[in-house]
Amino acid sequence: MNKHAYCIIAHADPDCLRTLLSLLDDSRNDIYLLIDRKSDRGKFGDLRLSRARLTELPRTVDIRWGDISMVEAELELFERVAASGENYSYVHLLSGADLPLKSQDYIHAYCESLPAGTNLVSVSRDPGDLRDLRYKTIYRHYLNRHYKSARRWRKVGMKTWRLLTIIAQQALGIRKSWKGYTLGKGDQWGSMSMDFVRYLVERKEWILREFKYVFCADEIYKQTLLLSSPMASTRVVADEEREECKRAIDWGRGAPYTWRREDCEGLLASDKLFGRKFSTQTDRDAVEFIRDSLLGKMNHAD
């Protein structure tokens, strides 16, 4: 039996996470869960499943948006997957605010239809994203973990200090060299082969060192390592970036947009495997509609 691993990073919305887990609860899946150290674990309750094997990692990482801590969390999950001894067909990286848009039968069949070793990792070719990629990688971005500080004046101070350090680097001609690497930027979330996951784990120390001061490195390091590796040709290339990672993500209406109930029929009819993002605080009906639609199909299939 070909098995899949699901690596999930969660920090809020226990109801959405429990819905996600219920839709992944399949004997063909092993689930690796990392909950942000800042989160109240008690609010998530008992997360035991009946079919899938669930491994919850120790909450050692204080995850901050835009900071290397997000990369650290991903690599801890990948490291646990690589150490499991399982040769998974696919390793899916999800947020606790994601939901599948297809049944597990469909997802497994789709992935098995791909050439062995295919990686569903998106790489943007948008000119604006490429300019942003250069800005985020050639200069050192300090205090990333404080970028979204809740205190208004502290946030202003941090942003001002970061801007001044960038101006100083520009004036002094200081640039980080990425010689020998092809830089890339895309969605943080994707579905990867075990070969690529092992490749990342083997380079964990290098990644954490070289990407420490890269802003939003979680959207850059996987793309860069894949494009620069012998596995570059295993990436799916499509006209539409979301097609490459098979995620339904709307950056036009939000950062990203939170799906509503009125979007759900279209999402389920799409060819995407997963949707990002959902929230029971924003629209509980959307979460419940996806759950009921997929569980109904699963029960019917049984």
Side-chain angles (χ1 to χ4, degrees), residues 148-177:
K148 284 198 170 183
S149 171
R151 296 179 181 178
R152 180 182 176 187
W153 293 112
R154 185 182 181 190
K155 179 186 290 187
V156 171
M158 294 299 103
K159 289 185 177 181
T160 301
W161 193 87
R162 288 178 74 249
L163 179 60
L164 290 175
T165 63
I166 298 297
I167 293 173
Q169 291 174 71
Q170 292 171 337
L172 295 171
I174 298 173
R175 306 286 189 276
K176 179 172 175 57
S177 173

Side-chain angles (χ1 to χ4, degrees), residues 2-4 28-29 104-112:
N2 292 321
K3 296 194 72 174
H4 288 196
R28 295 168 291 183
N29 298 333
Q104 286 304 300
D105 284 343
Y106 182 102
I107 292 172
H108 278 258
Y110 174 80
C111 290
E112 299 310 319

Side-chain angles (χ1 to χ4, degrees), residues 18-295:
R18 283 192 287 269
T19 299
L20 169 61
L21 293 175
S22 72
L23 296 173
L24 303 179
D25 191 10
D26 186 294
S27 60
R28 295 168 291 183
N29 298 333
D30 287 343
I31 300 171
Y32 298 83
L33 173 65
L34 190 153
I35 297 176
D36 188 350
R37 192 175 72 191
K38 295 188 300 298
S39 303
D40 181 353
R41 177 61 183 85
K43 292 183 178 180
F44 290 86
D46 185 355
L47 298 175
R48 285 181 294 181
L49 301 176
S50 59
R51 300 179 185 88
R53 183 174 66 184
L54 174 63
T55 300
E56 185 174 346
L57 275 64
R59 297 193 304 121
T60 58
V61 185
D62 178 4
I63 304 171
R64 303 294 182 97
W65 183 87
D67 180 52
I68 192 65
S69 55
M70 180 64 81
V71 176
E72 184 181 354
E74 290 186 16
L75 290 172
E76 283 205 12
L77 286 162
F78 295 157
E79 201 167 34
R80 184 64 68 91
V81 168
S84 70
E86 295 280 357
N87 190 31
Y88 296 107
S89 294
Y90 270 90
V91 180
H92 306 281
L93 178 63
L94 300 176
S95 158
D98 295 354
L99 293 176
L101 302 177
K102 304 295 181 185
S103 69
Q104 286 304 300
D105 284 343
Y106 182 102
I107 292 172
H108 278 258
Y110 174 80
C111 290
E112 299 310 319
S113 73
L114 298 171
T118 296
N119 285 286
L120 302 175
V121 175
S122 68
V123 177
S124 176
R125 293 178 293 280
D126 177 78
D129 281 343
L130 295 178
R131 288 191 296 271
D132 184 63
L133 171 63
R134 176 175 170 78
Y135 175 76
K136 288 177 176 177
T137 54
I138 68 171
Y139 302 116
R140 286 175 171 257
H141 295 260
Y142 299 101
L143 301 179
N144 288 333
R145 66 185 295 101
H146 303 292
Y147 192 78
K148 284 198 170 183
S149 171
R151 296 179 181 178
R152 180 182 176 187
W153 293 112
R154 185 182 181 190
K155 179 186 290 187
V156 171
M158 294 299 103
K159 289 185 177 181
T160 301
W161 193 87
R162 288 178 74 249
L163 179 60
L164 290 175
T165 63
I166 298 297
I167 293 173
Q169 291 174 71
Q170 292 171 337
L172 295 171
I174 298 173
R175 306 286 189 276
K176 179 172 175 57
S177 173
W178 294 94
K179 187 177 180 180
Y181 291 88
T182 300
L183 292 169
K185 175 188 175 183
D187 290 307
Q188 175 185 358
W189 318 100
S191 299
M192 293 149 284
S193 67
M194 274 298 293
D195 284 344
F196 184 51
V197 167
R198 293 189 186 103
Y199 187 83
L200 293 175
V201 170
E202 289 167 1
R203 288 154 181 81
K204 177 181 178 179
E205 290 186 9
W206 181 88
I207 291 168
L208 294 177
R209 182 178 69 250
E210 297 299 320
F211 286 86
K212 182 176 181 179
Y213 297 111
V214 171
F215 190 40
C216 294
D218 49 281
E219 299 176 344
I220 297 171
Y221 87 98
K222 291 186 292 297
Q223 285 77 6
T224 297
L225 270 290
L226 183 57
L227 293 173
S228 306
S229 77
M231 289 172 279
S233 62
T234 65
R235 183 176 70 85
V236 169
V237 180
D239 292 336
E240 194 261 314
E241 187 180 342
R242 306 290 96 75
E243 184 64 23
E244 296 179 346
C245 62
K246 303 301 286 187
R247 265 70 173 169
I249 309 174
D250 186 345
W251 289 102
R253 292 181 287 175
Y257 170 75
T258 301
W259 299 111
R260 270 63 168 184
R261 168 63 185 84
E262 57 266 26
D263 303 309
C264 289
E265 283 87 351
L267 289 172
L268 292 170
S270 75
D271 63 351
K272 304 300 188 292
L273 302 181
F274 306 98
R276 168 155 180 81
K277 65 180 181 174
F278 293 87
S279 167
T280 56
Q281 283 77 43
T282 300
D283 195 330
R284 180 176 292 272
D285 287 347
V287 174
E288 294 179 349
F289 184 85
I290 297 293
R291 179 200 64 197
D292 294 346
S293 297
L294 291 181
L295 287 178

